[in-house]
Amino acid sequence: MCGIIGYIGTQRAAPLIIDGLKNLEYRGYDSAGIAVLQTSELFVKKDTGKIAEVFSEKDLETIEGNIGIAHSRWATHGGVTKENSHPHLSNDGNTAVVHNGIIENYQELRKFLTENGFVFKSQTDTEVIPNLIQYFMQQGTSFMDSIKLAVKKLEGSYALAIINKNAKKLVAIRKESPLVIGVADHGYFVASDVPSFLDQTKKVVYLYENDMAVLNDKMEFFNIKDNLPVVRKIDNIEWNVEQAKKGNFEHFMLKEISEQADAIKLAISQDEKQIKEVADAIMHAKGIYFVACGTSYHACLSASYKFAKLANKHVNVALASEFPNYKDFIVPDSLVIALSQSGETADVLEAVKAAKEKGARVISLVNVVGSSLTRYSDETLMQNAGPEICVLATKSYTSQLAILTLLAYALAGKYEEGKNKLKELVNSIYYLTSTNTREHIKQLAERLRYVNHIYLIGRDLQYPTAMEAALKIKEVSYIHAEGFAGGELKHGTIALIEPGTPCIVFTSSENEKKILSNATELKARGAYIIGVGPNNNELFDFFIKVRESGEANSICQIIPIQILAYQLAILRGCDPDKPRNLAKSVTVK
Ligand code: G6P
């Protein structure tokens, strides 16, 4: 998703914001640009491509000016072109805007502005914003008041950073899109996410919905709805720059895969009282809905099995984007549990808002402190998995699973047993992420690097694992992969199995016979069978041993496939940290 960064202070803005933009690369983007306030003009440079291609070393050294904004764009309205890249300028060239989000009524606004003589250079929704500001300024309104009037006309979601040629200030506004202020010794930053400026400061101010921050030599905050000042406190970020950097690892993906044992340790040091309270809320709710997208959705599916098996509790699971279909069943006694590692996924926020309108209680499980979902929820369990920079969710997924497992045990009145079970996993996870395991899986990656399709099957708790494993392979290696319930493949998809088709089979002691019988059906059609589980079998052409851990199999069994996906990406020349077309947090619906 689009990334925003801005700076105002005593240092040159360009190197700081271009560097900050690079730290936001993980969000996914296709073009980049900056606008810097120079003595009598706004210097603008933008283009399609990687940040390092758009800006040269010389740019970093030569672009003067202490106030600037920058943007990495993930195209929504209009193709990937230089003209559609941000910043966007007003027709008079005086105001520059970077934007993350969607202006839903932009066509109407564009028509209004065109009728008033404005000309548009891009197909974006964003370009209406600087022009609306110019429109109001032309009526004699001040820059600040024009921003307020312009924003009142916008429908949709927006995180904005705005500068004007004649104003020594940086203005930031947030509505349904993330934005955070960094407070450094030498000035202020505004950014979509903390890693952007973390090497400059660990002091942050999280903006609330409808907040406007006005930054110059001080910072002031207003609510854009009623224009009244609001007080926002400075928080300290607890994780350090190293955690958000690659260290000795070649890619964030591998680093984060390798951090999973530690992430599990942190997940199980959850506040016992809070876990028990949430378990109690689940126990007494009338209708429980788990909602999420992507990988977090797979964690929800896994949770539904864990709750059923361990605590005899039925929960509904819904893709956040499909949640409106359930809305008529939501009553004030319903409980919605929203999972989102980023806490910013627009579909999840939308689902949660709909649930709140019906009076339901919302509890969320989130990794990013200060994210929007934490504010929309009545209560939040923090994952504490540390920053996850790679677009693919790895440690945030297993950390979600660990907390959900703990919750299921708590619901069954066996909190301690659950905690001990998870503690026992830690050594297995160290082993699964070790060089030995990685070398073993590399042989498989070499075998699979040129295939076009991979099918994955699992039963019970291994079914969501098969789905998540398929997603990992697809996202990063671009090999088509599909996960099925073991019993389901024969109802159609088995038609696609040919001699040599790779099929990954997740097994567990509990369902070994049944899943092996499904594997036999595949083998009979010539499939190349890869077994992942506690016991090797003559059916398997390749075997990855993962010790049996009952309900916690879901945590351990995904790890070898995360590694496989990573290695396939490397062998196929794909960038594991920045897969094409994907974004870390999808802040549009
Ligand atoms: C995007 C990412 C996925 C992620 C999904 C949900 O689509 O590319 O990897 O699983 O969002 O993200 P969340 O932050 O809500 O867990």
Side-chain angles (χ1 to χ4, degrees), residues 292-298 339-346 348 365 368 373 383 388 390-394 396 400 468 471-472 475 579 581-586:
C293 304
T295 293
S296 295
Y297 170 72
H298 295 149
L339 263 68
S340 172
Q341 64 78 26
S342 64
E344 298 294 350
T345 302
V348 177
L365 180 56
V368 178
L373 185 55
Q383 293 184 228
E388 190 178 66
C390 174
V391 166
L392 275 82
T394 52
S396 68
Q400 283 170 339
E468 170 59 10
L471 184 64
K472 289 296 88 115
E475 281 182 306
N581 305 340
L582 300 183
K584 181 75 183 156
S585 48
V586 181

Side-chain angles (χ1 to χ4, degrees), residues 137-404:
M137 287 181 82
Q138 280 170 352
Q139 329 271 311
T141 316
S142 70
F143 173 52
M144 288 311 300
D145 285 342
S146 298
I147 293 178
K148 289 172 193 162
L149 289 171
V151 162
K152 282 207 164 59
K153 291 216 169 280
L154 305 179
E155 285 168 20
S157 61
Y158 41 86
L160 300 170
I162 308 170
I163 56 174
N164 179 279
K165 189 170 124 181
N166 304 310
K168 292 222 167 333
K169 51 182 71 147
L170 168 59
V171 181
I173 299 172
R174 171 198 170 131
K175 181 176 174 265
E176 295 176 18
S177 268
L179 212 53
V180 58
I181 308 292
V183 184
D185 297 340
H186 52 82
Y188 297 108
F189 289 87
V190 54
S192 304
D193 207 348
V194 175
S196 177
F197 53 66
L198 196 60
D199 40 9
Q200 297 294 325
T201 179
K202 286 170 81 174
K203 287 192 202 152
V204 303
V205 178
Y206 292 107
L207 293 187
Y208 283 47
E209 275 305 279
N210 298 310
D211 271 2
M212 173 164 90
V214 183
L215 311 170
N216 40 39
D217 51 358
K218 59 181 189 303
M219 48 180 186
E220 290 172 300
F221 302 97
F222 301 89
N223 180 299
I224 46 168
K225 284 208 156 153
D226 56 20
N227 206 10
L228 292 174
V230 287
V231 178
R232 297 287 173 245
K233 72 173 182 11
I234 297 181
D235 280 317
N236 275 304
I237 292 296
E238 284 176 15
W239 33 278
N240 55 37
V241 187
E242 282 63 45
Q243 280 176 282
K245 300 260 183 220
K246 273 187 282 202
N248 293 329
F249 289 90
E250 213 175 319
H251 296 101
F252 281 111
M253 185 174 174
L254 187 58
K255 174 178 181 266
E256 288 154 9
I257 287 173
S258 306
E259 286 171 345
Q260 292 182 100
D262 295 333
I264 301 298
K265 281 193 221 158
L266 287 165
I268 52 182
S269 53
Q270 286 283 331
D271 176 7
E272 181 177 338
K273 192 165 155 264
Q274 198 189 13
I275 292 280
K276 287 183 172 165
E277 275 167 13
V278 174
D280 195 56
I282 294 173
M283 177 77 87
H284 293 103
K286 295 212 167 62
I288 302 141
Y289 297 82
F290 276 74
V291 291
C293 304
T295 293
S296 295
Y297 170 72
H298 295 149
C300 293
L301 278 181
S302 197
S304 72
Y305 283 90
K306 290 178 205 283
F307 281 79
K309 276 173 178 288
L310 286 164
N312 199 22
K313 186 82 188 168
H314 168 76
V315 301
N316 300 284
V317 178
L319 283 166
S321 55
E322 293 294 318
F323 186 70
N325 296 300
Y326 292 85
K327 118 170 157 279
D328 291 344
F329 308 111
I330 306 293
V331 293
D333 284 341
S334 308
L335 173 65
V336 170
I337 303 204
L339 263 68
S340 172
Q341 64 78 26
S342 64
E344 298 294 350
T345 302
D347 288 327
V348 177
L349 299 180
E350 189 73 5
V352 160
K353 273 193 246 165
K356 292 223 75 149
E357 274 162 24
K358 292 272 186 167
R361 181 170 174 193
V362 173
I363 299 178
S364 56
L365 180 56
V366 178
N367 196 35
V368 178
V369 180
S371 54
S372 304
L373 185 55
T374 61
R375 295 219 195 86
Y376 292 151
S377 310
D378 296 300
E379 197 172 335
T380 302
L381 288 168
M382 290 311 303
Q383 293 184 228
N384 303 324
E388 190 178 66
I389 306 292
C390 174
V391 166
L392 275 82
T394 52
K395 67 172 178 174
S396 68
Y397 176 65
T398 44
S399 141
Q400 283 170 339
L401 290 178
I403 295 167
L404 292 166

